[in-house]
Amino acid sequence: MLYNIRVFAVAQANVFFGGEKALLQNNVTIKGKENGLEIMLGEKATYPVLREELLQKLKKSQDFFKDSRTRVVIRGKSLSEAQRKEIKRVFAMDFDIHDVLYGDEADMLKSIELDIEEKPAAQEKDKNDEEEEDIDVVSGKYIDADSVFINGTVRSGQRVESEGDVVIVGDVNPGAEVIAGGSIAVFGKLRGLAHAGCGGRTDVVVAAVYMCPKQMRLSGRVVTFPKDRKAPGTAEIAELKNGKVVVRPI
Amino acid sequence: MEKTIVITSGKGGVGKTTSTANLGTGLAMAGKKVVLVDTDIGLRNLDVVLGLENRIVYDLVDVVEETCKLKQALIRDKRYEGLYLLPAAQTRNKMAVSPEQMKTLVEELEKEFDYVLIDCPAGIERGFKNAVAGARAAIVVTVPEVSSVRDADRIIGLLSSSGIEDVRLLINRLRPDLVRKGDMLAIDDTLEILGVDLIGVVPEDEMIFRSSNLGEPAVADDNSMAGKAYRNVTKRIMGEEVPIMDLEQGTGFFSKLKKLFSR
């Protein structure tokens, strides 16, 4: 209770002494991230104070993010729908930045973002990298997890689950689900759903002789495959590289 | 092939009942003693397709509940020597019968008949469990369409977990013209997904509608393409080796003429 009162007092102070530079400067922090900016709004300041400070800071460093493809993610203080819209409008009108997301939106997007488009480019890059990379035993450190070996076809409606790795000698048909805490290898056609790293592990892969699922999940990432995808004659492997799902021939 | 066969599909409307009626009639025409069991309690159709609706007195549920003797419920088809129907009850539901009871019933029928064909309802619930309980083999009917193939795949999985290993695929209502245009799944594509042996391909045939409405199975009609396909399936059930019919080859006058010139 005491604590709450103190917080309230500080918030009040922000409003009343909002003009003071030193205080103003600390409510909004801007950080550069892999594909854009992350803006942190102080929880204690009121919306008008935050908006004012944000504008000042953005104007000061305008040149830094001239690129209109920049993604801006705003976190921290929760804003009302109207306030969110206003901030978005400011970004669009004054700075020509249209990709503005709030923290909760960004998190949701992260799990459903489809980065198929990025694949061809990433694939080429990876081919070059391939030789330099060390071969590591993917799940060597998780030997104690239970793994599953299935000799046969996993059909529609059937579900294979394991905390460890899953190896299937056969096909995974459309409508079937293979869920693994570790990696998944399919010595056959993968046309159903495969989810590797369901517990959050990111050092996992999905490998298949014929890779043609409708959807695949790696850790928290969900990717869809083009409807008319024809798998190449060789086996393929999907893995996470810098947070993106990359598919390449083995 | 085993002689107690469930005809199933998962999806509705793909031709389970029509296939059951035709294969049963075909087997009877070949001189076998056959009983067709309709397990679609509450939604019975097989009696209609066979044209035996007006002769039902007792049904499967009556037999199971011992209201009547098995022999009293069996309807003999007067047109085909050796063809019998055990109809489903229309005013009850699937829960009226248990898989154990079905198993006992089917074992009873096996003693009397050469072939027991069980017409399975759509779905994977109690009705399906009842239908497969006594079966020793299965014919899975599918139409060349993604959703139907998906359901067939599910059914094949469920059949194998019910201990039925002898599973054959019957592709129904195929239209070669649509396959050629790429608008319909080809036989090979279907087989590739399902990975079971093919027992036959029945082309789409308008005569089937007519024969179903009239209660006269197409298998007895010499002019029907579907009827011919069903006769071939019948032979394969009895263990004969018959090549899959070339559906590209039409039987009409023009296609015969075309064939003559293309030589």
Side-chain angles (χ1 to χ4, degrees):
Chain A
M1 204 59 193
L2 245 174
Y3 177 75
N4 280 343
I5 291 166
R6 216 175 332 151
V7 170
F8 181 71
V10 173
Q12 288 289 327
N14 278 347
V15 175
F16 291 123
F17 309 107
E20 242 180 83
K21 267 237 156 104
L23 199 61
L24 205 153
Q25 295 299 319
N26 293 330
N27 289 321
V28 177
T29 48
I30 303 180
K31 276 189 217 158
K33 284 272 162 155
E34 48 167 303
N35 54 355
L37 297 175
E38 188 177 276
I39 295 173
M40 201 69 188
L41 302 179
E43 300 272 359
K44 293 166 190 168
T46 58
Y47 173 69
V49 174
L50 289 169
R51 188 187 53 195
E52 194 54 37
E53 189 180 326
L54 179 63
L55 268 173
Q56 280 183 22
K57 285 201 170 171
L58 287 175
K59 274 182 187 150
K60 227 187 275 175
S61 44
Q62 201 167 356
D63 291 345
F64 185 63
F65 48 83
K66 258 269 141 70
D67 189 347
S68 60
R69 281 172 301 171
T70 309
R71 163 169 293 178
V72 176
V73 179
I74 299 171
R75 294 181 189 277
K77 188 179 173 69
S78 62
L79 303 175
S80 75
E81 202 53 48
Q83 292 166 346
R84 286 180 172 208
K85 272 189 184 151
E86 191 180 354
I87 296 254
K88 280 193 178 181
R89 203 162 48 230
V90 167
F91 270 104
M93 304 290 280
D94 295 353
F95 303 99
D96 197 30
I97 292 172
H98 301 274
D99 197 358
V100 180
L101 292 173
Y102 292 90
D104 46 351
E105 294 169 350
D107 292 342
M108 210 188 291
L109 194 71
K110 207 174 193 172
S111 61
I112 56 167
E113 190 170 280
L114 314 175
D115 39 16
I116 286 290
E117 289 164 10
E118 321 253 354
K119 236 175 248 164
Q123 205 169 312
E124 269 174 37
K125 203 190 93 206
D126 284 325
K127 266 182 201 159
N128 303 332
D129 290 350
E130 238 170 288
E131 279 151 40
E132 295 161 25
E133 273 173 41
D134 291 329
I135 298 166
D136 58 358
V137 181
V138 168
S139 48
K141 15 177 185 169
Y142 295 90
I143 277 169
D144 56 339
D146 281 329
S147 291
V148 171
F149 185 97
I150 292 191
N151 187 10
T153 300
V154 187
R155 293 185 184 275
S156 171
Q158 293 176 332
R159 186 179 163 100
V160 179
E161 265 180 274
S162 167
E163 282 179 32
D165 302 328
V166 175
V167 177
I168 291 160
V169 181
D171 296 344
V172 177
N173 280 356
E177 294 177 5
V178 181
I179 314 291
S183 294
I184 297 168
V186 180
F187 289 79
K189 299 185 177 92
L190 173 57
R191 283 187 280 218
L193 171 72
H195 186 177
C198 65
R201 275 176 57 191
T202 51
D203 61 330
V204 295
V205 301
V206 174
V209 172
Y210 176 98
M211 180 95 80
C212 238
K214 292 275 182 308
Q215 189 196 82
M216 183 192 286
R217 302 181 194 158
L218 279 173
S219 197
R221 281 279 179 176
V222 182
V223 289
T224 55
F225 283 65
K227 228 179 170 181
D228 49 359
R229 180 175 208 261
K230 288 270 181 287
T234 58
E236 290 180 290
I237 187 163
E239 57 196 330
L240 280 168
K241 283 264 170 82
N242 303 323
K244 294 217 180 299
V245 176
V246 174
V247 181
R248 61 176 171 84
I250 297 177
Chain B
M1 195 168 180
E2 291 277 357
K3 294 183 174 175
T4 306
I5 305 165
V6 60
I7 289 140
T8 180
S9 72
K11 195 172 182 296
V14 298
K16 287 179 295 294
T17 301
T18 311
S19 297
T20 309
N22 279 288
L23 297 179
T25 308
L27 286 167
M29 284 163 69
K32 304 287 180 189
K33 198 177 176 197
V34 190
V35 61
L36 310 183
V37 184
D38 190 351
T39 59
D40 204 348
I41 302 167
L43 290 168
R44 72 174 177 214
N45 289 136
L46 187 55
D47 52 323
V48 182
V49 174
L50 285 167
L52 299 173
E53 189 184 7
N54 53 357
R55 298 196 31 218
I56 298 176
V57 179
Y58 294 110
D59 55 49
L60 190 148
V61 177
D62 291 325
V63 176
V64 167
E65 291 179 348
E66 295 180 346
T67 312
C68 69
K69 292 206 176 74
L70 177 56
K71 281 223 165 85
Q72 288 176 291
L74 289 173
I75 300 167
R76 187 172 68 85
D77 192 323
K78 288 168 184 161
R79 294 163 299 180
Y80 308 102
E81 179 73 35
L83 182 63
Y84 291 80
L85 169 70
L86 179 56
Q90 180 70 343
T91 54
R92 304 292 291 271
N93 66 43
K94 311 273 191 290
M95 304 307 279
V97 177
S98 74
E100 292 72 34
Q101 289 170 321
M102 274 304 294
K103 205 168 173 215
T104 320
L105 177 68
V106 169
E107 277 165 7
E108 202 62 36
L109 290 168
E110 280 174 327
K111 290 179 199 157
E112 289 285 318
F113 293 89
D114 297 331
Y115 283 92
V116 181
L117 300 190
I118 303 160
D119 184 21
C120 178
I124 54 174
E125 294 83 19
R126 183 62 167 267
F128 171 79
K129 286 182 184 129
N130 284 342
V132 301
R136 299 179 195 279
I139 292 177
V140 175
V141 184
T142 183
V143 294
E145 181 187 282
V146 182
S147 56
S148 173
V149 172
R150 179 80 59 98
D151 290 357
D153 192 40
R154 177 90 167 104
I155 287 296
I156 295 166
L158 290 171
L159 285 169
S160 88
S161 57
S162 316
I164 298 176
E165 296 302 331
D166 190 359
V167 178
R168 313 289 174 93
L169 186 72
L170 179 67
I171 300 180
N172 199 10
R173 307 188 70 169
L174 188 92
R175 287 185 55 183
D177 53 328
L178 288 186
V179 172
R180 223 178 304 125
K181 277 196 278 178
D183 294 336
M184 190 177 253
L185 276 178
I187 299 172
D188 289 346
D189 296 341
T190 310
L191 286 177
E192 199 207 83
I193 290 176
L194 297 177
V196 293
D197 290 340
L198 187 67
I199 197 157
V201 180
V202 179
E204 175 88 318
D205 186 348
E206 286 169 19
M207 286 193 187
I208 289 285
F209 291 100
R210 210 178 79 92
S211 66
S212 288
N213 289 339
L214 290 177
E216 291 166 3
V219 72
D221 184 348
D222 287 334
N223 297 320
S224 161
M225 280 284 273
K228 191 180 174 206
Y230 277 125
R231 282 197 293 280
N232 286 345
V233 176
T234 308
K235 286 178 189 157
R236 290 184 201 110
I237 290 176
M238 293 186 295
E240 273 179 56
E241 299 231 342
V242 188
I244 297 288
M245 189 162 75
D246 180 12
L247 296 170
E248 291 293 324
Q249 182 186 321
T251 47
F253 172 73
F254 279 106
S255 44
K256 271 180 190 157
L257 203 71
K258 224 161 89 186
K259 217 174 126 200
L260 204 70
F261 281 111
S262 65
R263 270 188 193 152

